[in-house]
């Protein structure tokens, strides 16, 4: 059985973080995964949550029946700039304190860094991991890593190698469905990627939304101006609004006996947020149980 969580990203503009738990309950979810927002932990910034904020979230958990299952912070802890890296490690330390206060024991995050300085960024990531090992182990919190487009590592195989190389049971891997074509450089072999992560004993979480293959045909699924600009475009669409091979995804997850967290992370479709999130929950419940 999996825990199906809602990433309430599309509701942050219209309600407080605490109220997103009530929204999740309204949609039928039992869990949320809190992604970056101004109230809690914004991208690359020191977390702004205080004791009152944590108390409000705990009350919302009680009132709504929805549990904060995971957090999804993004800190540039692989920055080639040492002062920046140190600041981001400080952000991590505070985030872990807050996670512990909420009794959250699973966190998912990104490698970050600079893909144009990949070797230096990798060195910095290992340095940050070494500094944070005592803090993760102090709180008994697991970390699941994803290779994100434009991180210093964008490919599945390389990211899994990095996770395994740390050789810590609490450090796992998160497979992000909307990044399927970035993770595989257009191959889209979701079945293979899921199975290799599971075989390594590292597959702990899956992010669910759809996206198109940016490499297919002549590479113009997305058009960027000027051509060759150093940017990465990706999407988090509703299931079916893209080219992710869902039959592969669901059959592989069932066959490897996946029993971790599945987070619905559809972004950018606020006008249909309720419909898309409810449909995703229904599909995931049918395919994987809950």
């Amino acid at each position: 059985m999996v825990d199906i969580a809602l990433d309430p990203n599309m509701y942050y503009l219209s309600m407080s973080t605490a109220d997103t738990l009530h929204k999740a309950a309204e949609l039928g979810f039992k869990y949320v995964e809190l992604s970056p927002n101004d109230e809690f932990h914004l991208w690359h910034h020191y977390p702004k949550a205080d004791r009152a904020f944590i108390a409000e979230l705990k009350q919302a958990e009680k009132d709504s029946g929805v549990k904060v299952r995971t957090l999804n912070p993004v800190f540039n802890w692989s920055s080639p700039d040492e002062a920046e890296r140190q600041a981001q490690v400080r952000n991590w330390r505070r985030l872990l304190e807050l996670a512990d206060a909420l009794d959250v024991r699973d966190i998912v995050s990104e490698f970050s860094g600079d893909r144009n300085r990949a070797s230096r960024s990798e060195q910095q990531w290992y340095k940050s991991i070494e500094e944070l090992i005592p803090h993760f182990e102090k709180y008994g919190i697991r970390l699941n890593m994803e290779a994100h487009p434009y991180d210093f590592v964008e490919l599945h195989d390389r990211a899994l190698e990095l996770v395994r190389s740390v050789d810590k049971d609490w450090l796992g891997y998160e497979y992000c469905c909307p990044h399927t074509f970035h993770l595989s450089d257009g191959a889209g072999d979701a079945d293979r990627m899921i199975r290799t992560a599971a075989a390594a004993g590292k597959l702990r979480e899956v992010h669910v939304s759809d996206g198109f293959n940016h490499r297919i045909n002549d590479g113009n699924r997305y058009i960027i101006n000027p051509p060759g600009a150093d940017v990465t475009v990706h999407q988090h669409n509703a299931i079916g609004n893209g080219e992710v091979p869902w039959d592969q995804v669901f059959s592989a997850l069932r066959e490897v006996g996946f029993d971790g967290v599945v987070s619905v992370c559809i972004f950018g479709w606020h006008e249909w947020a309720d419909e898309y999130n409810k449909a995703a929950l229904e599909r995931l419940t049918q395919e994987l149980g809950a």
Side-chain angles (χ1 to χ4, degrees):
M1 302 291 285
V2 300
D3 290 346
I4 303 174
L6 172 69
D7 180 337
N9 172 278
M10 291 193 288
Y11 302 105
Y12 288 147
L13 291 179
S14 60
M15 63 186 72
S16 69
T17 308
D19 283 343
T20 65
L21 274 64
H22 294 279
K23 170 57 75 172
E26 174 191 321
L27 299 174
F29 288 84
K30 298 177 182 177
Y31 304 100
V32 293
E33 173 173 279
L34 296 181
S35 55
N37 68 36
D38 290 318
E39 285 190 296
F40 197 172
H41 52 86
L42 191 62
W43 288 277
H44 312 306
H45 286 71
Y46 189 81
K48 298 305 187 286
D50 59 8
R51 285 172 291 176
F53 177 86
I54 295 300
E56 185 181 11
L57 276 184
K58 286 184 171 182
Q59 188 62 50
E61 287 183 318
K62 291 179 181 179
D63 294 343
S64 67
V66 170
K67 167 69 177 170
V68 179
R69 182 65 174 80
T70 62
L71 303 179
N72 184 190
V74 181
F75 299 131
N76 193 14
W77 53 335
S78 305
S79 172
D81 179 85
E82 178 59 15
E84 174 70 6
R85 187 200 67 81
Q86 290 179 21
Q88 300 299 321
V89 168
R90 184 184 308 117
N91 296 349
W92 264 114
R93 291 198 299 267
R94 177 57 175 160
L95 190 281
L96 291 172
E97 292 177 359
L98 295 167
D100 182 62
L102 280 171
D103 195 26
V104 171
R105 299 297 160 207
D106 286 277
I107 292 176
V108 61
S109 193
E110 302 169 8
F111 286 93
S112 296
D114 182 350
R115 74 174 178 188
N116 296 311
R117 299 184 64 188
S119 178
R120 171 64 174 165
S121 295
E122 180 179 312
Q123 295 165 16
Q124 295 288 80
W125 181 72
Y126 280 116
K127 188 174 184 179
S128 295
I129 283 285
E130 289 173 359
E131 292 179 11
L132 287 167
I133 282 173
H135 301 277
F136 277 98
E137 295 184 347
K138 170 186 175 182
Y139 295 117
I141 291 175
R142 300 198 307 179
L143 174 64
N144 303 315
M145 295 299 304
E146 70 164 287
H148 195 279
Y150 211 83
D151 281 2
F152 78 83
V153 53
E154 297 177 286
L155 298 176
H156 163 83
D157 295 305
R158 182 61 174 158
L160 186 57
E161 288 173 357
L162 289 169
V163 167
R164 295 185 68 176
S165 70
V166 176
D167 204 19
K168 292 289 184 180
D169 291 340
W170 51 263
L171 187 64
Y173 183 78
E174 181 261 306
Y175 182 75
C176 192
C177 294
H179 302 165
T180 291
F181 302 105
H182 294 280
L183 291 167
S184 60
D185 199 25
D189 52 347
D191 179 87
R192 182 192 69 82
M193 291 188 284
I194 288 169
R195 290 180 187 279
T196 54
K202 292 298 183 181
L203 185 63
R204 308 269 171 80
E205 181 164 347
V206 176
H207 279 177
V208 171
S209 53
D210 215 330
F212 291 97
N213 188 347
H214 62 296
R215 292 293 194 193
I216 204 166
N217 299 330
D218 59 352
N220 278 335
R221 271 289 196 258
Y222 312 129
I223 298 173
I224 299 170
N225 293 103
D230 187 24
V231 298
T232 300
V233 177
H234 74 284
Q235 298 168 310
H236 283 240
N237 296 339
I239 296 175
N241 186 17
E243 295 166 311
V244 172
W246 292 108
D247 288 345
Q248 281 189 42
V249 170
F250 292 131
S251 64
L253 290 173
R254 287 193 297 266
E255 289 172 21
V256 302
F258 179 72
D259 61 357
V261 178
V262 181
S263 175
V264 176
C265 56
I266 301 167
F267 303 153
W269 300 93
H270 296 58
E271 61 270 46
W272 293 304
D274 287 4
E275 291 86 347
Y276 285 171
N277 286 324
K278 285 192 288 187
L281 175 61
E282 181 179 359
R283 177 73 181 275
L284 291 170
T285 301
Q286 291 173 350
E287 297 282 0
L288 301 174

